[in-house]
Amino acid sequence: MRTQVAIIGAGPSGLLLGQLLSLAGIDNMILEQKSKDYVLSRIRAGVVEQGAVKLLEEARAAERLHREGLVHDGTEIAFQGRRRRIDFKALTGKVVTVYGQTEITRDLMDAREAIGAETVYEAADVALFDLKSDRPRVSWREGGETHELQCDYVAGCDGFHGVSRRSIPESEIAAFERVYPFGWLGVLVEKPPVSHELIYVNHDRGFALCSMRSTSRSRYYLQCRLDEHIDDWPDDKFWEELVRRLDPAAASALQTGASIEKSIAPLRSFVAEPMRYGNLFLAGDAAHIVPPTGAKGLNLAASDVHYLSHALIEKYKNGSAKDLDLYAAKALARVWKAERFSWWMTQMLHRFPESSGFDQRMQAAELDYLFSSEAAQTALAENYVGLPY
Ligand code: FAD
Ligand code: PHB
């Protein structure tokens, strides 16, 4: 078998890249280790920057997002009984769209099926070979048989635990990492949200977030310990703890119900440099992870795909590899700024188990400054809505 670009992983980065390449007439095949239903059952991000929306439009997969997505002009930060609204639109002229990653994935899968591009689901033991040659190969097992695909380029879009980054010799890649001493316990519930915008809460008992997927479906998060399990958190206990962390107005607006999904995610900052090895290019979570506090994970996957798709199209249309050579540096410049923002938001809004009195006063001063300074609010807003590509 032969294709121009072999894409590993059918998450948002792999599907978006495949769609943009297919629309430009570049042949590609996606290999995904899980089933389609499994990929669609994962509840993850919910906030989409304007840049990512534009890219979904280019991919002709934004119709439902425009119909069902909720445009948010701002967000709220709560601390010590006070709430400060950060007005994105007034401060930056930009907005964000609340639309679940699951829905984006579904729209991209539908768009891919409509144009007849090929995706292999349940591709086991994917392995990459000859990445430094101009004829890389990818093999996988499917239905007891081993298959092999020859290509010009491999796009490693297979997330943090994927095979692509691990296929790069250790001497050729550097990793930078911070693991945070807590996780996020997330609950999805079929009830209207407490407020029409997101509320990020810094509370003595830990961080909380009131988010949503639609006007009738809410997503809530609580900072939890890393050794906790979802079985330790029956729904009643989750709602009691959330109420404790919310201000009285938010708490009284909260509508609770049976959870339809509950999961714990650890928090990590991670960057692998460079995002290229020979003819293998990494994109999205395969190359970097951010803690979810800044709502940047999915959006960084989109900006990587923007740079990579343009570079591949330039190579196939005009024969120039210049943009491919610049890909890693361009993508990483934006990645590090999103890493900084996500780390800063995490630092400002969570309770760190080992924080000293000094650390806590620094955090309070940071929030007091944010609540009172338009310059500080503008800096938050500019990063939250997404830095330009
Ligand atoms: P992924 O979505 O991870 O997709 C990678 C795909 O590759 C998967 O389908 C996987 O099955 C497949 N794959 C893996 N290994 C192989 C292999 N060996 N062979 C073939 N296929 C393989 N971001 C936010 O902004 N807000 C959030 O609330 C948020 N919550 C999250 C919760 C969790 C539990 C996780 C893991 C991430 C969360 N993120 C969140 C981050 C965001 O979801 C990711 O940044 C985004 O999914 C990145 O997309 P991706 O396509 O690069 O990677
Ligand atoms: C979500 O809705 O899942 C969500 C929103 C904002 C974040 C993180 C997660 O910062």
Side-chain angles (χ1 to χ4, degrees), residues 336-361:
W336 275 114
K337 292 186 198 94
E339 291 282 347
R340 185 205 68 82
F341 175 65
S342 304
W343 161 84
W344 174 76
M345 286 281 279
T346 304
Q347 199 79 16
M348 177 171 71
L349 293 173
H350 291 75
R351 288 295 144 144
F352 284 70
E354 271 144 39
S355 72
S356 63
F358 179 84
D359 296 333
Q360 280 168 23
R361 275 161 182 75

Side-chain angles (χ1 to χ4, degrees), residues 124-192:
D125 300 334
V126 170
L128 316 182
F129 303 97
D130 302 335
L131 295 168
K132 284 228 136 166
S133 80
D134 57 6
R135 280 282 171 276
R137 288 176 300 122
V138 180
S139 74
W140 71 97
R141 267 191 325 102
E142 191 192 349
E145 274 181 52
T146 300
H147 302 263
E148 193 177 281
L149 178 66
Q150 214 182 61
C151 57
D152 302 328
Y153 301 104
V154 180
C157 300
D158 48 353
F160 184 65
H161 299 287
V163 66
S164 299
R165 193 182 65 255
R166 280 187 280 119
S167 304
I168 303 176
E170 267 182 36
S171 58
E172 303 279 339
I173 193 162
F176 302 89
E177 183 171 50
R178 164 148 310 173
V179 177
Y180 299 89
F182 40 73
W184 277 20
L185 168 65
V187 157
L188 190 66
V189 64
E190 203 58 51
K191 290 284 177 189

Side-chain angles (χ1 to χ4, degrees), residues 41-221:
S41 70
R42 293 187 298 220
I43 306 292
R44 289 181 171 181
V47 175
V48 192
E49 297 171 359
Q50 273 180 214
V53 171
K54 191 164 156 275
L55 216 51
L56 287 163
E57 285 167 357
E58 277 176 40
R60 297 190 204 149
E63 205 182 292
R64 197 159 65 96
L65 176 145
H66 284 307
R67 219 175 36 241
E68 296 176 12
L70 305 172
V71 173
H72 282 197
D73 292 353
T75 194
E76 293 200 273
I77 313 271
F79 179 56
Q80 291 179 338
R82 284 195 296 158
R83 260 203 247 166
R84 159 58 67 187
R85 178 165 187 267
I86 312 289
D87 190 332
F88 304 148
K89 189 138 190 216
L91 294 165
T92 69
K94 291 189 190 159
V95 296
V96 294
T97 304
V98 171
Y99 187 68
Q101 176 171 332
T102 316
E103 306 312 317
I104 292 181
T105 307
R106 188 187 299 279
D107 296 343
L108 285 166
M109 283 176 171
D110 289 350
R112 186 168 178 86
E113 265 168 40
I115 57 171
E118 195 176 353
T119 309
V120 177
Y121 290 99
E122 298 180 72
D125 300 334
V126 170
L128 316 182
F129 303 97
D130 302 335
L131 295 168
K132 284 228 136 166
S133 80
D134 57 6
R135 280 282 171 276
R137 288 176 300 122
V138 180
S139 74
W140 71 97
R141 267 191 325 102
E142 191 192 349
E145 274 181 52
T146 300
H147 302 263
E148 193 177 281
L149 178 66
Q150 214 182 61
C151 57
D152 302 328
Y153 301 104
V154 180
C157 300
D158 48 353
F160 184 65
H161 299 287
V163 66
S164 299
R165 193 182 65 255
R166 280 187 280 119
S167 304
I168 303 176
E170 267 182 36
S171 58
E172 303 279 339
I173 193 162
F176 302 89
E177 183 171 50
R178 164 148 310 173
V179 177
Y180 299 89
F182 40 73
W184 277 20
L185 168 65
V187 157
L188 190 66
V189 64
E190 203 58 51
K191 290 284 177 189
V194 292
S195 168
H196 66 289
E197 289 176 346
L198 272 59
I199 309 175
Y200 290 83
V201 184
N202 176 323
H203 189 273
D204 288 346
R205 298 178 63 89
F207 170 81
L209 171 60
C210 303
S211 182
M212 66 194 74
R213 287 292 174 275
S214 68
T215 50
S216 58
R217 185 176 278 200
S218 305
R219 179 77 166 154
Y220 295 102
Y221 295 97

